[in-house]
Amino acid sequence: MIKAILIFNNHGKPRLSKFYEHYNEDTEQQIIRETFHLVSKRDENVCNFLEGGLLIGGSDYKLIYRHYATLYFVFCVDSSESELGILDLIQVFVETLDKCFENVCELDLIFHVDKVHHILAEMVMGGMVLETNMNEIITQVDAQNKMEKSEVSASLKICYLDQIQ
Amino acid sequence: MPAVSKGDGMRGLAVFISDIRNCKSKEAEVKRINKELANIRSKFKGDKALDGYSKKKYVCKLLFIFLLGHDIDFGHMEAVNLLSSNKYTEKQIGYLFISVLVNSNSELIRLINNAIKNDLASRNPTFMNLALHCIANVGSREMAEAFASDIPRILVAGDTMDSVKQSAALCLLRLNRTSPDLVPMGEWTARVVHLLNDQHLGVVTAATSLITTLAQKSPDDFKTSVSLAVARLSRIVTSASIDLQDYTYYFVAAPWLSVKLLRLLQCYPPPEDASLRSRLTECLETILNKAQEPPKSKKVQHSNAKNAVLFEAIALIIHHDSEPNLLVRACNQLGQFLQHRETNLRYLALESMCTLASSEFSHEAVKTHIETVISALKTERDVSVRQRAVDLLYAMCDRSNSKQIVAEMLSYLETADYSIREEIVLKVAILAEKYAVDYTWYVDTILNLIRIAGDYVSEEVWYRVIQIVINRDDVQGYAAKTVFEALQAPACHENLVKVGGYILGEFGNLIAGDPRSSPLVQFNLLHSKFHLCSVPTRALLLSAYIKFINLFPEVKGTIQDVLRSDSQLRNADVELQQRAVEYLRLSCIASTDILATVLEEMPPFPERESSILAKLKKKKGSSKLPDMDDSRKNVNGNTEHAEDAEVASKVPSHTFTDNLNVNSAPSSGASLLVDVFSDFSSAAPTESSDEHFPRFVCKNNGVIYENQLLQIGLKSEYRQNLGRMYVFYGNKTSTQFQSFSTSVSSNDVLCSQLNVQEKPVDPLIEAGAQVQQILNIECVSDFSDTPVLNIQFRYGGTLQNIAVKLPVMLNKFFQPTEMMSQDFFQRWKQLGAPQQEVQKIFKAKNQMDTDVTKAKVNSEALGQCEHLGPSVTDLSYSINMQSDFSFMILLLLWCFYESSQLTSLCSVAFTPPALRFRCSSVGRCGS
């Protein structure tokens, strides 16, 4: 099971945090800091797995992470997940973001937190991997956007009518 | 076209985020955020109703503020309102807020549940998915209660869309994790298994996750999944990748599904059916073969996906542990990975090899890689990888290579990361003891440990070395000589002073013949460290000094002078002062004979499991400990361990008679040692098999029997008229038990009432190991006797017989019923015959507390209906008990005060006449 998914930048600023187990706000922030501390001091080209920090459950949990340009993507998982499988899942997540945002960069994640959450929700649900097929994920996201567009244009029409009256 | 167009969206939100990002200081940021929070708060509280768009915008702002680490204490209600919006985007943002911010015991859960219920019933797949996501992400008990029965229906319904099925499967999995008792098994289970045949691979993946978790809990119900999983896996592995279209990832066919299927198969033993088995073997061989093929792509994703499947296949091969051919191939494959240029693969190879090392077929093959692993320990740049290398060395260690491995670990310890030093120390200590043929090597190793990493040597480690030295005559002289030499170093660790003090105090006479280590030299050496040590160590040294007076009468004067000095007799620490006074007095008044008796050499310690091993287990969580035969067999090592401790704390510690304590000198130095051995009781218990019995009236798990040799733990579960009991036999000694056999005997009457069927148990129990036996129990009719478990084994030539009463009681088969008070009394009245009722009045021993009583009665799995009677302080419960024929027991528990004394009255009405004993015991629980 995936216990938490964290994205933060090279300075440790959180860009996305999703916990599948309940912690209070303080602990969540501490976990993010602890995880950043553990991950950021590691060299490039070392392995992508390490034992979790104390707050997240110690050696029963693994941190599986990838570092892309300015961002760290970290999944905290228990022993029931395949390490390489999760590593690939991170890749699918990033490729999906890249398709949805066209050359995704840190700013996209900042200004569209909700969208990132929605995309993630198509892949991981309640800590379990829901869908791994990128085309399927993008189809769902597209469908969401279409609905959103139609609702926006509908509400614009109403505004317009309001103004006429 | 990008799926998210950047132009639209909420302008206010973008402006706010930009503002925050432009803040020059933390203070400015906090100020801006507080301003925004005030703004949103006033908007939410304002008279003007907000439209959906504004609500959505503000909720998004709150989410952003939350991400920055600020508390959000409002907005929940607005988010809940968004849930009932008809607009998808508003509903979606509402659900997002809830799943990020609402915790599981929020008061709003009821409102949220309502919205979810509507969406689940909406038949709009998008809305249903949102609702299922929310349930899975929050996963609270209230949600489980509300929806646990709906979701299986959605999952197996014929007309459910694929995407909803996927979500429903995972949602059910999540609820099963958080509140397993609320997810009912039922006719849907068979249909879930058939989802493995579904067309849509996403559905199959989700279903496999679900089935894996369910199968771990009740393997029998999901047995049929094995053949389906093998068939599915075989189709994936052998198919040309184009067949699976979108689920091919960088030229690997459905890697995630393959991994999940292989995980599912790890819940079961190898299939018994020959054709199925050969089909699975074929799959595994194909996966191993593919690893040797040239890669279809240079991308790392390709090799990752391929190897994810490969590692899972290897895990399955190791789990089955039955095909020597496959095991050796797996080992060779991992051997290749050990030298791979990808760090990830080296890491995983080391990890998998740890488990492989425990298989008898491949242990030797693993050992051939020892040089590679040692060089990994020396050259890997990454501490995670080095740690795995330590684990593997530990796992592959046996008599033939123990000296080499221990030496390597010791030398690594000098440079090891601080975070893992303690663990390495424990591992070295265990290996040194376990594989010591020559105990001088053991003593050297432990002293080296203390020298290199004294701060990380825990008490268990130095207790253990003393324990071993005292028990083994052949090493005492050597130990005394070695610690004497080690103490010569100008700076030595305090742990070394402790070991040195203890050992010289006991065995200093063995080296006193050499003028270089004459009694006076020994004493001066120890005393030169005295002032640098902490109080407990000084206390231990004082005990060593009094022992010296006995061993070496010639230094008596010198030592008495030391004891007499103000720094001892008037020491500020009361423990040290008391020791000095008492020891001084003892040395003055006691005759040589009395001194010799009082200060006699310590008797040998009883053989018991190494406390170091226990410590390591505790540290690592034994399920993960990839090593040491005993911990491997101990599936539930953690709970067993906790029970060990519980038992240990109950045995009075006075049973350990420290000779130094005879004259009432409280010696904390020695009591340190007492603690470790405290669960040794000096009088060998003979057939004290009933003492733990009463604890099992309300409990199903725990230790039922323990003596110096053997510990018997129980885990039991009951369902309706059937029960299963797992009996764990733990060998506490360092010698194996032979011809171990067990039988369950019942008297003639009981035989017809209760069937107990035992599975065979291994006739050999290795030293320190634990084996498990399963007993299947069936209740045929009501009974009042208890079956007896007879155990027989040979320990060091003598035959041991133990009889233990098995805690199988009628109340284990009770099933609760809840009913209205009217029904209760109607039934009560129907049971009018005198032999159908028993009444017992007893004084409550403790104060009656309604909640506590309720909890106690509930722990007996009884249903209840409250406030039945007219009495003011009454409690009433009903039980319905079922065996193969079921009948009802009604129990009424009254509590009333009698001249300020609390008395409870327990009435029981029942149909069959034989239940007197059990029912009154239920009453006692309630008192």
Side-chain angles (χ1 to χ4, degrees), chain A residues 1 20 22 42 47-48 51 59 62 79-80 91 95 100 121 125-126 130-131 133 136 144-145 151, chain B residues 3-4 69 88-89 103 133 137 166-167 174 200 246-247 250 256 263 301 344 347 351 382 388 624:
Chain A
M1 174 180 171
Y20 294 100
H22 181 72
R42 292 169 63 83
C47 82
N48 297 89
E51 283 185 0
S59 58
K62 279 210 178 94
S79 62
S80 70
Q91 178 70 19
E95 285 184 29
C100 291
M125 169 175 163
L130 177 66
E131 183 57 71
N133 173 356
E136 191 94 355
Q144 288 176 11
N145 287 322
E151 283 175 4
Chain B
V4 177
Y88 170 71
T89 45
N103 68 42
H133 273 275
N137 286 337
Q166 254 170 296
S167 305
R174 169 70 178 196
H200 190 279
D246 288 346
Y247 284 85
Y250 287 92
W256 285 279
R263 279 275 155 130
Q301 284 79 11
N344 288 340
Y347 175 98
E351 194 176 56
D382 186 347
R388 291 289 92 84
K624 269 199 70 198

Side-chain angles (χ1 to χ4, degrees), chain B residues 148-180:
Chain B
S149 52
D150 293 343
I151 294 166
R153 210 170 27 75
I154 296 174
L155 177 59
V156 296
D159 57 348
T160 308
M161 299 258 302
D162 287 338
S163 68
V164 178
K165 267 191 202 166
Q166 254 170 296
S167 305
L170 293 186
C171 187
L172 194 56
L173 168 52
R174 169 70 178 196
L175 293 186
N176 187 63
R177 287 225 173 104
T178 50
S179 334

Side-chain angles (χ1 to χ4, degrees), chain A residues 93 96-97 100-101 115-123 141:
Chain A
F93 184 32
T96 310
L97 289 174
C100 291
F101 287 108
K115 291 268 153 56
V116 180
H117 268 289
H118 297 324
I119 293 169
L120 184 61
E122 294 300 328
M123 300 180 61
V141 175

